[in-house]
């Protein structure tokens, strides 16, 4: 593997279809270390602890904190912080005594080491509504340790992949060669385009009319291939279609859909049209697009289901490749839900339970695959407080007149039966890539891997966020349980609401069931918006 091969993983959606092999992925973060699993009692303790800027692996001999420490071969894909400052970030690779990187933490997001001009990779080092993100990878062969010195700032995430022993990783120094610098600049431009190049040698386009209560087959292939792109022209859809029109995809003759989602939610637009452009998905006024590659061997079907009260007319274009690849590929899945527990002991997750406030994003058992992110719609509304605020909004910090903030909850990914999650974050907005979202103003944004495309100016209403995991997709071999902490109940305060609707995106083994029930009209409308 050379440095160019490593960079290609940041844009290679097709690699997500490959079985996971011996790869492992996860995240080191500053999450509150008070949250623990006690093996002696088989209990989770302080699971809602929220001092999420305080955590680290250990203290170094010089008093700095060790933020990350792991064996190789591997790569650090993403470093995020809510407030990087001038304290040092030192990265030690492969047992060397001298750091390969020694810069003020803030400079990692702003300046090429040793250079005078600021960094100029708009896609790879995006600032998303205060959140600082760097997607410039740090490869290592034997080991990696990252230390943060006094005054480094507040909050961090460092996502990684560990590769099988024997994998040859490029040297980090290849980044600074002429070839490495050109490769980084070229990748940044391609990520700016975010999948605009059309793929798929075969193309089908049709305008489908779906009657109320009908499931209409729009596209079908009976052989072997890989679906490359789905686009929808929404211009003739009614206002009801945002909630009542479903997209389903079936692989290999299965009677159970692997994709079962409201159309707008699947494309990252719940509760309705909200523009954004990311690498695997985008939503424009004249075109919703999905570029997730979707292999099949014994045929594929795309249907639309109308749970609304009026006929819907949708323009659909499907692009695919016919192939005879004999290698085993994973199948694409996406399932919309509003908190599907799939038989879990719900009492453990209720207020007072040992696993509160975990809310289920994706629960998979006895299957291998890769988790690739989610779209989350939050119906978060409250009655205007009677007390006047001290500032133009509802006040600041702990002096607010409305305890409105929904996104404090950490992401927790349990892989292959581990008792303590290998990904344990510091807040839902931090997982997406932004920061300080309880404080106005609230900027909408998009980037190759994340967006917040819906957010009221005062926070009171519908929020839509998405996070797509490509190079840092999480492989699993027999089990994957993903949660977000949810501190507000569906109803809270004096008649307020905070309702989550999620679409997780993942790949799993062919000819296996994901266990999620079919979306019925009743399930779809169970928590429909009601006036406060």
């Amino acid at each position: 593997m050379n440095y160019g091969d490593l960079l290609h993983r940041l844009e290679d959606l097709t690699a997500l279809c490959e079985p996971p092999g011996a790869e492992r992925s996860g995240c080191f973060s500053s999450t509150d270390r008070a949250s623990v699993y006690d093996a002696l009692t088989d209990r989770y303790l302080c699971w809602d602890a929220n001092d999420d800027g305080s955590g680290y692996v250990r203290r170094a001999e010089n008093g700095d904190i060790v933020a990350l420490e792991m064996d190789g071969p591997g790569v650090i894909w993403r470093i995020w912080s809510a407030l990087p400052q001038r304290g040092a970030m030192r990265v030690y690779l492969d047992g060397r005594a001298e750091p390969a990187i020694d810069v003020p933490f803030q400079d990692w997001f702003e300046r090429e080491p040793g250079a005078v001009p600021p960094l100029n990779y708009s896609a790879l080092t995006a600032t998303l509504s205060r959140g600082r993100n760097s997607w410039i990878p740090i490869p290592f062969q034997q080991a990696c340790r990252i230390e943060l010195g006094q005054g480094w700032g507040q909050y961090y995430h460092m996502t990684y992949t560990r590769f099988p022993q024997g994998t040859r990783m490029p040297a980090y120094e290849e980044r600074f060669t002429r070839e490495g610098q050109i490769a980084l600049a070229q990748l940044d431009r391609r990520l700016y385009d975010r999948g605009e190049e059309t793929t798929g040698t075969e193309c089908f386009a049709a305008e489908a009319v779906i009657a109320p209560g009908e499931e209409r087959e729009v596209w079908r292939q009976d052989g072997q291939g890989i679906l490359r792109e789905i686009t929808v022209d929404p211009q003739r859809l009614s206002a009801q279609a945002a909630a009542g029109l479903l997209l389903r995809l079936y692989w290999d003759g299965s009677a159970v859909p692997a994709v079962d989602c409201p159309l707008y939610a699947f494309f990252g637009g719940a509760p309705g049209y909200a523009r954004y452009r990311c690498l695997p998905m985008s939503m424009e006024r004249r075109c919703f697009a999905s570029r997730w590659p979707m292999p099949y061997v014994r045929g594929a079907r795309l249907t639309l289901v109308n749970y609304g009260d009026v006929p819907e007319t949708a323009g659909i274009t499907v692009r695919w490749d016919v192939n005879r690849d004999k290698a085993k590929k994973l199948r694409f899945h996406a399932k919309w839900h509003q908190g599907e527990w799939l038989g879990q002991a719900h009492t453990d997750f209720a207020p007072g339970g040992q696993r509160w406030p975990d809310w289920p994003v994706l629960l998979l058992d006895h299957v291998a695959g890769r988790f690739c992110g989610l779209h989350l719609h939050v119906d978060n509304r409250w009655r205007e407080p009677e007390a006047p605020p001290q500032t133009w909004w509802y006040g600041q910090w702990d002096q607010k007149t409305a305890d409105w903030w929904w996104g404090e909850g950490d992401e927790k990914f349990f892989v292959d039966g581990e008792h303590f999650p290998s990904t344990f974050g510091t807040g839902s907005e931090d997982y997406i890539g932004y920061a300080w979202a309880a404080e106005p103003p609230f900027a909408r944004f998009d980037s190759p891997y994340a967006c917040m495309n819906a957010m009221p100016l005062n926070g009171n209403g519908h929020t839509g966020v998405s996070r797509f995991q490509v190079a840092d997709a999480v492989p699993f071999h027999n089990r994957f349980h993903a949660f977000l902490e949810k501190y507000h109940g569906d109803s809270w305060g004096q008649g307020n609401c905070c309702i989550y609707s999620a679409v997780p995106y993942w790949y799993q083994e062919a000819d296996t069931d994901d266990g999620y029930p079919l979306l019925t009209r009743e399930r779809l409308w169970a928590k429909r918006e009601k006036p406060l």
Side-chain angles (χ1 to χ4, degrees):
M1 183 188 301
N2 60 37
Y3 194 66
D5 296 332
L6 187 67
L7 293 179
H8 182 55
R9 299 242 338 193
L10 288 161
E11 59 178 339
D12 187 7
L13 298 176
T14 303
L16 301 172
C17 307
E18 299 298 329
E23 291 182 13
R24 294 282 181 176
S25 295
C27 178
F28 285 80
S29 79
S30 58
T31 194
D32 193 329
R33 268 28 179 206
S35 295
V36 296
Y37 168 74
D38 184 359
L40 292 178
T41 61
D42 189 29
R43 300 287 294 178
Y44 290 88
L45 307 176
C46 301
W47 208 233
D48 61 339
N50 197 37
D51 187 10
D52 284 332
S54 64
Y56 52 87
V57 177
R58 60 181 177 86
R59 285 282 179 185
E61 293 180 1
N62 62 3
D64 293 348
I65 67 167
V66 176
L68 177 147
E69 191 169 36
M70 60 184 297
D71 296 330
V75 59
I76 310 303
W77 293 116
R78 169 191 181 241
I79 297 179
W80 166 93
S81 179
L83 189 65
Q85 295 184 325
R86 302 306 296 173
M89 180 181 84
R90 300 185 183 94
V91 182
Y92 296 85
L93 301 178
D94 302 331
R96 301 172 199 160
E98 295 299 318
I101 302 168
D102 187 353
V103 297
F105 191 34
Q106 182 177 336
D107 280 7
W108 178 251
F109 303 95
E110 297 180 359
R111 195 172 301 278
E112 199 83 72
V116 174
L119 274 175
N120 200 25
Y121 301 119
S122 64
L124 287 166
T125 56
T127 298
L128 307 179
S129 191
R130 301 188 179 101
R132 309 304 298 274
N133 297 264
S134 172
W135 288 93
I136 296 177
I138 305 173
F140 54 95
Q141 192 62 46
Q142 299 170 359
C144 179
R145 185 176 78 255
I146 300 180
E147 297 180 4
L148 298 176
Q150 184 176 0
W152 64 268
Q154 289 182 270
Y155 306 97
Y156 68 83
H157 287 196
M158 300 174 182
T159 59
Y160 67 85
T161 295
R162 180 183 285 128
F163 296 103
Q165 290 298 318
T167 303
R168 296 304 303 173
M169 302 299 296
Y172 171 69
E173 290 74 16
E174 287 187 35
R175 170 188 171 182
F176 302 104
T177 65
R178 181 176 184 274
E179 292 77 11
Q181 290 177 321
I182 291 173
L184 267 174
Q186 290 174 331
L187 173 62
D188 192 73
R189 288 200 169 200
R190 289 194 298 272
L191 290 177
Y192 169 81
D193 289 337
R194 299 174 199 170
E196 276 198 351
E197 181 180 350
T198 299
T199 60
T201 57
E202 307 294 325
C203 180
F204 168 85
E207 187 173 81
V209 179
I210 311 96
E214 179 187 14
E215 179 172 5
R216 170 84 179 270
E217 182 175 281
V218 178
W219 171 81
R220 180 188 189 111
Q221 285 293 302
D222 294 324
Q224 179 175 346
I226 179 167
L227 197 159
R228 295 289 186 183
E229 184 179 66
I230 303 170
T231 59
V232 174
D233 180 351
Q235 294 182 88
R236 296 185 61 187
L237 295 176
S238 77
Q240 291 189 24
L245 188 62
L246 271 60
L247 171 73
R248 287 177 178 165
L249 287 163
Y250 301 79
W251 311 128
D252 305 317
S254 174
V256 178
V259 173
D260 188 16
C261 302
L263 181 76
Y264 280 71
F266 173 76
F267 287 101
Y273 172 75
R275 182 189 179 277
Y276 77 97
R277 285 195 313 127
C278 290
L279 181 61
M281 307 276 278
S282 62
M283 177 170 275
E284 308 279 357
R285 187 162 298 281
R286 294 178 180 272
C287 181
F288 304 168
S290 163
R291 292 174 287 273
W292 297 107
M294 305 178 186
Y296 52 90
V297 173
R298 301 185 305 279
R301 295 195 302 131
L302 183 155
T303 70
L304 295 175
V305 182
N306 186 0
Y307 281 145
D309 300 321
V310 298
E312 298 290 356
T313 302
I316 301 282
T317 301
V318 181
R319 297 182 183 273
W320 73 98
D321 289 322
V322 175
N323 65 55
R324 297 292 181 265
D325 187 353
K326 300 300 182 182
K328 290 185 178 180
K329 303 292 184 184
L330 303 175
R331 299 297 186 263
F332 180 79
H333 287 243
K335 294 292 175 74
W336 179 92
H337 67 85
Q338 293 184 309
E340 179 56 63
W341 290 97
L342 296 182
Q344 294 287 309
H346 196 181
T347 54
D348 281 348
F349 300 90
Q354 62 167 327
R355 292 284 299 276
W356 184 87
D358 287 1
W359 184 89
V361 172
L362 180 61
L363 304 175
L364 298 172
D365 292 289
H366 312 299
V367 68
R370 297 179 188 271
F371 174 68
C372 301
L374 78 155
H375 168 64
L376 180 68
H377 164 221
V378 184
D379 179 6
N380 186 41
R381 292 174 291 132
W382 60 90
R383 298 179 186 276
E384 291 294 322
E386 295 181 3
Q390 297 177 356
T391 61
W392 73 273
W393 190 61
Y394 295 103
Q396 290 183 323
W397 309 111
D398 60 348
Q399 302 299 315
K400 292 187 173 68
T401 57
D403 183 21
W404 71 280
W405 175 227
W406 62 269
E408 195 64 32
D410 308 339
E411 77 277 15
K412 301 170 184 175
F413 300 161
F414 296 79
V415 180
D416 295 336
E418 58 194 7
H419 288 293
F420 194 85
S422 47
T423 293
F424 195 140
T426 59
S428 305
E429 79 277 27
D430 307 341
Y431 168 65
I432 302 300
Y434 60 121
W436 308 108
E439 304 300 326
F442 311 115
R444 292 183 294 176
F445 60 83
D446 62 6
S447 70
Y449 309 116
C451 72
M452 179 162 69
N453 55 336
M455 177 63 165
L457 187 63
N458 65 354
N460 192 341
H462 295 278
T463 296
V465 294
S466 297
R467 166 80 154 89
F468 302 114
Q469 299 191 226
V470 180
D472 63 334
V474 183
F476 53 93
H477 299 82
N478 55 62
R479 192 182 196 201
F480 182 79
H481 285 193
F483 298 90
L484 288 177
E485 292 179 336
K486 184 174 184 287
Y487 283 88
H488 281 316
D490 289 351
S491 297
W492 63 277
Q494 297 296 315
N496 308 323
C497 73
C498 183
I499 298 171
Y500 282 15
S501 303
V503 178
Y505 306 99
W506 77 97
Y507 288 81
Q508 71 178 55
E509 295 170 294
D511 301 317
T512 58
D513 186 10
D514 58 39
Y516 280 79
L518 193 70
L519 270 180
T520 62
R521 181 184 173 93
E522 291 70 29
R523 289 186 63 232
L524 183 66
W525 295 99
K527 298 180 181 180
R528 66 182 300 178
E529 180 175 322
K530 297 178 182 179
L532 294 179

